[in-house]
Amino acid sequence: FLSACATRFEHRQEPVKAFPKEHTNMTISNAAHELEEEYMEINTRYGKQIVEKASLLTFPDGLPGFEDLHQYKLFHEEGTSTVYYLQSTEDADIRLPLITPEACKVDFRIDLSDEEVSKLQIESENDLVVVITLSDNQDDVATGITANFMAPIIINAQSRIGIQKTLNQVNGGVMIQAQ
């Protein structure tokens, strides 16, 4: 799902042009109307990007700390197949790096409440994708990059609805070192 869903960031030097120049004014307005229904332009850390509206992910409750932001687009940088970025379509400054737990060789089970199952509109467990947010701890370089396994993001690949679930805190911690 992630590879199929993510769009490669396009580094652009000039503004994005949404519509081809070769159309006449009448055709442009018709084409513009049709394209507006299918595509939208969003601001990102890498400049303006045109994305399909159908490719957006919706977080009905937002994400912790970003409760007012509900629409996100999944991106990846060219040449990167492990790290993805969840980019807010409503705030260009909000971009969360993500990985799958499998990328860290971690396999765990998450129990969802009836309310979460309903919110995600789950029809099949196979439609679910779990991703983990990454943090660059610039205040403590000794810890480097950390993965937040205590608040995974769960996405229904079919409905394109997601939530971030806070798991019960365990005593102690787990350190996974990359090799």
Side-chain angles (χ1 to χ4, degrees):
F1 168 77
L2 291 178
S3 295
C5 177
T7 302
R8 182 177 52 83
F9 274 117
E10 295 183 17
H11 300 274
R12 297 184 182 268
Q13 299 299 327
E14 59 187 57
V16 174
K17 294 181 177 64
F19 311 110
K21 293 180 185 177
E22 61 270 6
H23 293 294
T24 64
N25 287 340
M26 178 73 94
T27 307
I28 287 177
S29 66
N30 290 340
H33 180 68
E34 288 175 18
L35 286 175
E36 278 181 20
E37 291 177 9
E38 295 178 37
Y39 296 91
M40 67 184 284
E41 183 177 278
I42 64 171
N43 292 314
T44 72
R45 188 175 187 174
Y46 296 102
K48 294 184 185 295
Q49 304 287 319
I50 294 177
V51 299
E52 279 188 82
K53 289 180 180 180
S55 71
L56 298 180
L57 301 172
T58 301
F59 290 81
D61 299 326
L63 296 169
F66 308 108
E67 290 83 359
D68 294 334
L69 304 176
H70 302 278
Q71 294 287 315
Y72 290 83
K73 173 66 180 146
L74 193 62
F75 285 99
H76 69 90
E77 289 189 62
E78 191 172 351
T80 304
S81 61
T82 307
V83 179
Y84 296 87
Y85 297 94
L86 193 60
Q87 172 70 55
S88 168
T89 64
E90 300 154 306
D91 185 338
D93 293 331
I94 306 303
R95 182 193 74 149
L96 303 172
L98 306 173
I99 58 168
T100 63
E102 295 83 17
C104 297
K105 298 187 181 350
V106 173
D107 185 24
F108 63 98
R109 181 173 176 81
I110 300 170
D111 293 321
L112 298 175
S113 69
D114 291 342
E115 179 184 344
E116 291 165 334
V117 168
S118 176
K119 190 173 289 183
L120 288 166
Q121 300 175 11
I122 299 171
E123 292 181 17
S124 169
E125 188 176 302
N126 295 331
D127 294 338
L128 297 180
V129 176
V130 176
V131 290
I132 307 301
T133 57
L134 297 175
S135 298
D136 182 2
N137 297 317
Q138 295 177 349
D139 296 336
D140 184 5
V141 291
T143 60
I145 296 173
T146 59
N148 182 358
F149 288 95
M150 296 310 295
I153 293 176
I154 302 147
I155 300 168
N156 180 334
Q158 295 302 312
S159 67
R160 305 189 78 71
I161 295 173
I163 62 169
Q164 187 167 19
K165 181 174 177 74
T166 302
L167 303 176
N168 293 331
Q169 187 67 34
V170 295
N171 291 330
V174 177
M175 179 173 279
I176 302 169
Q177 296 210 318
Q179 296 186 4

